Amino acid sequence: MKRTHHCGQLRSGDVGKSVALIGWVDSIRDHGGILFIDLRDREGLTQVKANPNSDDANFNAAINSLKPESVVEFHGEVEARAEGTTNPKMPTGEIEVQVKEVVVHNISETPPFPIDDEKGDKVNEDMRLRYRYLDLRRNKMNKVVRLRHATSRSIRDYMDTNGFVDVETPILFKSTPEGAREYLVPSRINPGEFYALPQSPQQFKQMLMVAGVERYYQVARCFRDEDLRADRQMEFTQLDIELSFIDREDMYELIEGLMKQIWKDVLDVDLPTPFARMSFYDAMNRFGVDKPDTRFGLEIQDFSETFANSSFKVFQATVAKGGVVKAFKAPTLADVTQGEMKNLEETAKSLGAKGLAFIKVGAEGEWKSPIVKFFSDEEKAALSERLELEEGDIVFFAASEWEQACAILGRTRLLCGDLLKKRGRLEIAPDQFNFLWVIEFPLMSYDEERGGFAATHHPFTAPVPEDVQYLDSDPKRVRGQHYDLVLNGVELGGGSIRIHQTAVQKKVFEDVLKIPEDVVKERFGYMLEAFKYGAPPHGGIAFGLDRLVMILAGLSSIRDVIAFPKTQKGQCLMTDSPTPVTEKQLKDLHIDTTVLSDED
Amino acid sequence: MKRTHHCGQLRSGDVGKSVALIGWVDSIRDHGGILFIDLRDREGLTQVKANPNSDDANFNAAINSLKPESVVEFHGEVEARAEGTTNPKMPTGEIEVQVKEVVVHNISETPPFPIDDEKGDKVNEDMRLRYRYLDLRRNKMNKVVRLRHATSRSIRDYMDTNGFVDVETPILFKSTPEGAREYLVPSRINPGEFYALPQSPQQFKQMLMVAGVERYYQVARCFRDEDLRADRQMEFTQLDIELSFIDREDMYELIEGLMKQIWKDVLDVDLPTPFARMSFYDAMNRFGVDKPDTRFGLEIQDFSETFANSSFKVFQATVAKGGVVKAFKAPTLADVTQGEMKNLEETAKSLGAKGLAFIKVGAEGEWKSPIVKFFSDEEKAALSERLELEEGDIVFFAASEWEQACAILGRTRLLCGDLLKKRGRLEIAPDQFNFLWVIEFPLMSYDEERGGFAATHHPFTAPVPEDVQYLDSDPKRVRGQHYDLVLNGVELGGGSIRIHQTAVQKKVFEDVLKIPEDVVKERFGYMLEAFKYGAPPHGGIAFGLDRLVMILAGLSSIRDVIAFPKTQKGQCLMTDSPTPVTEKQLKDLHIDTTVLSDED
C-alpha cells in the first residue's frame, strides 16, 4: 500500500514509468469497452485506463466492481495520451496510466450528493453538513482546509521568528457573574461549582506578561454563547497576542509585518505598508461605521450647520436637540427601483430611523424629493455644491442623534455600494485589500439603559496619556489606547495597550465604571493583586482566525472555513449533537435531574 | 521604551556602547554607597551600577525607590568589570552597565516568596499556584515554558514537512451516554440538550480520513473528568495524528522520525532508530507491565512448571487453578530494611496479593525465607540456577492469576529499582532514552464485572489480519493492530490501524462487544454510515504533549509543564475557580436552580 506518485503529479516526462496510485474513483467512462477512470486524491486527478475484458478474471471482476467514490489502488505504466485526447485543463492531462494490477480497498455506495465543486455548491447546506466527510472531499473544500493550515503556519512562522512564545492557557476558566453568554461546565468534584469556557484568554495573557514571558501568542479556541450568524460560530479560533514594553506604534509595525507575511505566503501578494489610519470619529463621520470599507467612496457629509435654522422642522429640531443632519450621495443611483428603495427604508427603520429622506436629481437637474420643498435656496446650494450633484444622482439623509445618524447612513451606504455593483457601475478588484487601523476610540461609552459608563472594549484598556486628566471630570472625552484592524469593511482584529498599574485599574473599575468593590474583588481581585508585584507595561491584540481565512479564501460564510462547523442553531448535524443526557450523568455532576423546558 | 539589548546579551566586546535595558530588579546590593542591581528579563541577568547620591535629585529618588521585582528601564554605558569582580558563572559576568538615566515603570511590593530557582522549589505548591505569575518568573519555569514551545514547534515543523494538514476539530462535541467521566456543557438554545468536551478527537479525525484529508494532525485540547494525579490534568494537550493508506510499519517509521527530530531540536540528542519492539505478552511476562522501563534488568521469570507439583500448597494450588508462579531477583538487596519491606508488601497487597513471599540469600549461600522449608531440592536448584542467585540477593514471588501476578511483580520490580538507586547500586544516566514499541495487544479483554468482552483500547482498532478468523470463536486470541510508544517506563502515546469497513466495524460493535444495536446507532451510526462511502484504510496515534515535555524537561510533575495548571482538586488557585454561579445563569441554561449538594 505505497503510492509512488500522487494523483496530481505525473507529466509527459514520466511516460514509461511503472507507478502505483491510490485514491478515490472520481468518475468512470466506458469508451469502446475500455474503462477510463479519473482517480482522485487530495493532490489532484489522474486518468487511468483499464480493460475489463482481460485474460485475468479476478482483475476484470475488481475493475467491474468499482463505483464512484470507491477507494482503489492501481499499479500500471504511464503512457502518453493519444493525440486529440490530451486535456490541457488538467495538470496531468498529457498522460494516462495503463492499469496492470488493481487492489480494491473499499467500494462506495452512491453518495447522497455529487462530489463536485459546482454541483456541490448548489446542495442544501444542511445536507452538506450532515455528510461533511463527503462535502470536504470536494476540491474547493479541500483547498480551504489546506489554506487554513497555510495561514496558521504562516502566522506561527512569523511569531516564532519574532521571539514570541506559544503558551497554552486553560479552557476551563472562571465564570463571571455577568457573563450571561458564557458556556458553563459543572464540576463533578466541586459540587455546586462551575467552570466557564473563555470568550478570550485576555486575563491569562495579561498574567503571562506579569509572569515575564514578554512576548506571547496562542492560536486559541474561544467560546461565545451568542446568537449565531453567517460570520459567527459558538466556538471560534483566535490568534491571540500580547507583549511587554511596547507602545501603539510598535504594535502597528508588528501586525503590519504579520499581515504582509500572511498575504505573501498564502496569496503571493505583496501588501504595501504601513496601513492607513483613521480615528473612530472620522470613520463614523465619513463612513458611518467603525469598520469602514474604503474601497469605494459615497462618503457621508455633515449638514447640521446648514440646517440649524432650516424651515424644515424635522432637521432644525434635530440639530436644536444636539443631534445631527447627515447626507451622502450615491452617484447614478436615481434609478433605484421601488423594491430596492423599500429595502433601504426598512434597513434604516431597523436602525431607529423614522424614514429615509432622499433627493433624486433628474434630467435638467430638477430635484425629486418629498422634502425639498421645505429647503431654502441657500440650503439647496450647500447640498448641491458640497455633494457635487449631477443628473442621475441620489442623496440620502439621516437626522438623528450622532451615532444613530452615522449608523443609518453607514448601512445605507453599503447597500448602495451593492446596488451599484449589481448595476456594473462600481467594480472592486478581488485583490484589492484596503487595510485600515481604526484608532482613538472613546475609552468609555455611556450606557443609557444602565445609566452609567461602560468600557467601550474592555476595562483593561489604558487611556491615552494626555486624556487621563479627564477620567474624573469628563470620562466621555477620554480616548483609549485601542486599535482595530479593518480590512475591506471587515474587522479582522483589535486590541489595546493595557493598564498595568493597580491604582489606575482600580480607579477605572470602581470610580469610572462604578463596579461595586466586592464584585471587582471577586472577578478581578487576583489581577489587581498581580499588578502590585511588578507588572510591566504591555499591550496586545487578537484576530479571528476563521474570519481571516474566510477573506483569504474569498468566501462569505464562516461555516465554509471550519472543518466541522455548527449550524445557526448550534448543532453539529454530522454527529447529531447536542443531545439529551441521562439522569445519572446529571446526578454525577450534582445537578438536579429536572432540566427546565423552554416554557419555564 | 525600546531596549537595545536583552539582559543575557552583553559581553566584553560591547564595552563602551550606550545601551538601554528593560526588565525586573532581581537583586540590589549596596557596596560603599554605590548600588549594584541585577536586572533580569526573560533572557538573563545583567549587573547595572548606579550612584544614588548623584547631582540629579530625581535620578537619586528613582534609584532609591527601586525594590526587588520592580520594572525599570536603564540607559547607560557598558563597562568592563574591575579585576576580581567578574563572574564567570554569568554569561554577562565580564561587564556591567553604568546607569545614566532611569525610567521606573512599576514599583513592586515584596513578593510572597523569593523569585529564585532553589528557594522557589521549596515553596508550598499551592502558594506557587496562587501566585503563578510570580512562580513563572523563576528561571527554571521560564525555561520550561519555552521548552514546551520549542517542542510543539519541532513537532509542527516535522508534521508540516511530511505533508500533514493541521485541522481543528470541535471542542463542543456529542455526549455519550456511557461517558460518565465527560464534562457536560448545557446548550442555551437547545433546552435540555448538552454538549460534551471531547476526551480525544478520535471520531473527528477518522471522519477527516473519510473526507480525503489523507494526513491530519492537531495539537488538540482534550478533557477528562477523572481523579487527578501528579501526571494527569483534567484538561490536557494531545498531539493527534491520523493518516490514510498506511500500515503499522509506516507508522513506526513516521513516529521514530518525529521523536528523532524532537530530541535533536530540543535536547540536541541524536536518538538511534529504529526503536526496539516488544509484544504485550513479553512486556507483561518480563517486566510485569505494558510500559516496561528497560533501563535496568531485574527481569521476571516464570516458575509455574517448577511448582506445578510442589508440596508448597499455595504455589501448587495456584498453578492447578490455571494461575502462575513468577519470581525475580533483586541483586544485593537482601539488606532491605524492615520499613522498606513493609512498603513492598503493602504495595503488593494493594494489587491483590495476600503477601509478598521472598528469599534472602545470606552469607555462605543459606536462604532466609518463611516459605523455603516447603521447597524440594529440585525446586531450589531450579530457582538457584535460573535466577543465578548469589550472596546478598533477594527473590520476590507472586502466585496468582497471570495478569495479577505480573502486575504485583512489575510494581515490586520498580520499587526495588528505586531502592537500588537510593543505595547507589543502580545508576541510570539522565540522557538514557529507552524507547520501545509495545505491540500485539489483545484486541479485546474479558471484563469480569460486566461479564463480556470490552475493547482493550477502543472499538475502532483493527484486528491483526491473520487473527480475524478467531473473532467469533475465540475473541481473546485476536490481537489488535495497536501500538504504544513507551519511553523509560512512561507511556508516551498509542494508537492503531483502524477498522475502515462498515461490516467489520458493525461486527465488532454488535457481535463481539455486544453493544445493543440502538446504542450503536445512536453513538456511532454516523461513522458506520460514513464508512459506506469510500473510507480509506487508515490509522493514527496520539501523544500526551504535557508528558512528553515533562520528560524532555527532566521534571516529575505534569503541573510544572503547564502554565496555569489546576490542583488535584481541579482548582485554579490563581483565579479561584471553579465558582458558584447565579440562579439566573442556570435558568438561562434551562437547568433547575437546585444544585444538589454532595450528600444527595
Side-chain angles (χ1 to χ4, degrees), chain B residues 356-393:
Chain B
L356 186 62
F358 66 88
I359 300 171
K360 289 179 185 173
V361 184
E364 324 269 316
E366 90 281 10
W367 290 9
K368 292 179 205 158
S369 163
I371 59 169
V372 79
K373 60 186 175 220
F374 302 109
F375 290 1
S376 70
D377 285 348
E378 273 168 14
E379 288 162 5
K380 285 186 209 166
L383 286 169
S384 190
E385 192 184 329
R386 287 179 52 203
L387 292 169
E388 301 177 2
L389 297 182
E390 291 181 20
E391 184 185 328
D393 291 350

Side-chain angles (χ1 to χ4, degrees), chain A residues 390-441:
Chain A
E390 291 180 19
E391 183 185 328
D393 291 349
I394 186 166
V395 178
F396 292 101
F397 291 89
S400 178
E401 174 269 321
W402 178 75
E403 210 160 339
Q404 193 176 47
C406 293
I408 292 164
L409 292 191
R411 193 80 74 83
T412 308
R413 171 183 174 270
L414 288 179
L415 292 174
C416 288
D418 290 341
L419 295 177
L420 289 171
K421 273 185 250 173
K422 211 175 83 181
R423 285 163 166 77
R425 299 178 196 157
L426 173 64
E427 267 187 56
I428 295 174
D431 63 346
Q432 187 171 350
F433 300 108
N434 282 25
F435 281 92
L436 179 69
W437 287 109
V438 179
I439 56 178
E440 296 182 357
F441 285 83

Side-chain angles (χ1 to χ4, degrees), chain B residues 25-79:
Chain B
V25 172
D26 196 68
S27 63
I28 310 177
R29 297 174 306 280
D30 183 331
H31 280 298
I34 301 294
L35 294 184
F36 289 80
I37 298 169
D38 276 351
L39 187 71
R40 186 189 70 235
D41 65 17
R42 68 175 197 183
E43 307 296 342
L45 287 174
T46 298
Q47 179 169 297
V48 307
K49 193 166 82 168
N51 178 5
N53 302 302
S54 74
D55 297 337
D56 182 342
N58 289 336
F59 176 89
N60 297 347
I63 291 292
N64 280 317
S65 75
L66 294 177
K67 295 176 185 177
E69 299 310 316
S70 299
V71 181
V72 59
E73 178 178 345
F74 290 121
H75 297 253
E77 193 173 304
V78 184
E79 296 181 353

Side-chain angles (χ1 to χ4, degrees), chain B residues 175-240:
Chain B
S175 75
T176 52
E178 295 104 88
R181 289 297 178 258
E182 279 177 346
Y183 286 100
L184 292 182
V185 184
S187 165
R188 187 174 53 87
I189 52 179
N190 299 284
E193 299 194 348
F194 291 74
Y195 302 100
L197 305 181
Q199 301 200 14
S200 100
Q202 181 66 32
Q203 297 180 36
F204 282 111
K205 70 177 177 170
Q206 291 197 243
M207 288 304 101
L208 286 172
M209 293 303 102
V210 182
V213 169
E214 297 193 24
R215 300 192 146 214
Y216 145 91
Y217 83 102
Q218 186 181 192
V219 178
R221 200 72 62 88
C222 303
F223 304 83
R224 176 173 49 199
D225 191 7
E226 284 180 1
D227 297 321
L228 305 170
R229 306 184 226 147
D231 68 342
R232 288 212 168 171
Q233 282 272 305
M234 47 198 276
E235 59 178 301
F236 58 101
T237 302
Q238 181 167 303
L239 166 60
D240 199 45

Side-chain angles (χ1 to χ4, degrees), chain B residues 503-514:
Chain B
V504 180
Q505 186 69 72
K506 217 167 136 70
K507 186 181 187 64
V508 167
F509 283 147
E510 293 175 6
D511 300 345
V512 184
L513 299 175
K514 312 275 187 208

Side-chain angles (χ1 to χ4, degrees), chain A residues 261-290:
Chain A
Q261 172 146 347
I262 296 171
W263 256 251
K264 185 71 193 165
D265 289 349
V266 177
L267 299 181
D268 198 23
V269 164
D270 288 303
L271 283 186
T273 51
F275 298 153
R277 299 179 195 176
M278 193 182 290
S279 77
F280 165 74
Y281 290 102
D282 278 356
M284 292 294 282
N285 278 320
R286 292 171 53 192
F287 299 93
V289 68
D290 61 359

Side-chain angles (χ1 to χ4, degrees), chain A residues 137-165:
Chain A
R137 273 190 209 162
R138 298 193 298 136
N139 180 46
K140 185 175 166 173
M141 296 302 286
N142 169 5
K143 277 201 177 133
V144 177
V145 167
R146 298 177 78 177
L147 184 141
R148 186 185 176 95
H149 178 208
T151 306
S152 66
R153 187 161 60 186
S154 173
I155 289 169
R156 288 181 185 281
D157 282 350
Y158 183 83
M159 301 314 289
D160 293 349
T161 306
N162 283 281
F164 285 80
V165 185

